Structures are given as C-alpha cells and as structure tokens.
Amino acid sequence: MTAATPTGGPLAGFVVLDLSRVFDIEYSALRAMSEGLARLRDDGSEVWLAGLNPDVLDHVRASGLAGEVGEARMFRDAREALDRFLASDTSRRSE
C-alpha cells in the first residue's frame, strides 16, 4: 500500500504532526500512529512531531514512538518545527 494525497498524487516528503490539541493519548492510538509513521517513512517522508504537552510526551516516550521519530524531530510547537525545517532546507540548497 502506497500513501497518496486525496487527488492520488504522492505525499510530501516532509510531514509535521501538530499534536498541540491532544491532551491525552491511549496505547491503541500510539500504536496506530507508529504504524502510520512507518508507512510515511517507507514512502520517503520525513516525520516530525510538534506541540506535545508533557503528559502526551511522556506517553510517546514510554511507548517507544519517540525513539522511532527521534528526539531531534520533536518540537515544542509547529512554529519551531517550521523554523528548523526552513533552516535545514536552506542549508541543503546551498550545498
């Protein structure tokens, strides 16, 4: 199964999941996220997480999802993730 946009085109190579509105998360949701993130990565997308409140962050870490994503790809908010992406994208273009 290959992920695609609603119009059938390929997915973007970069995805930020803004979880700032998530106040609690269950194991089954974390498992589903892990499977979805794996599919995105398999399709060549880089996945970052943003806006995790302390409780959700604790659950993400305890579930192992933080290890899958990587602590360096987890941000305080979506703006911080965007700033990091723009900085890294600029450095990639200058190479």
Side-chain angles (χ1 to χ4, degrees):
M1 175 178 181
T2 301
T5 63
T7 59
L11 285 173
F14 180 77
V15 177
V16 175
L17 295 178
D18 182 353
L19 303 174
S20 60
R21 302 275 184 193
V22 176
F23 60 90
D24 190 23
I25 194 161
E26 297 178 356
Y27 175 77
S28 58
L30 289 165
R31 184 133 167 101
M33 276 183 64
S34 177
E35 292 170 4
L37 295 178
R39 278 190 301 239
L40 286 168
R41 284 192 306 273
D42 289 347
D43 287 338
S45 293
E46 187 170 345
V47 180
W48 292 3
L49 303 179
L52 290 89
N53 75 45
D55 290 336
V56 172
L57 180 57
D58 287 345
H59 290 302
V60 166
R61 285 182 173 145
S63 72
L65 185 61
E68 293 176 38
V69 172
E71 293 280 339
R73 292 183 181 95
M74 295 171 45
F75 300 89
R76 178 181 59 247
D77 55 40
R79 183 69 209 185
E80 183 183 13
L82 178 61
D83 290 345
R84 177 77 59 84
F85 171 75
L86 291 174
S88 68
D89 190 51
T90 300
S91 67
R92 289 180 205 159
R93 281 189 263 150
S94 65
E95 292 176 349

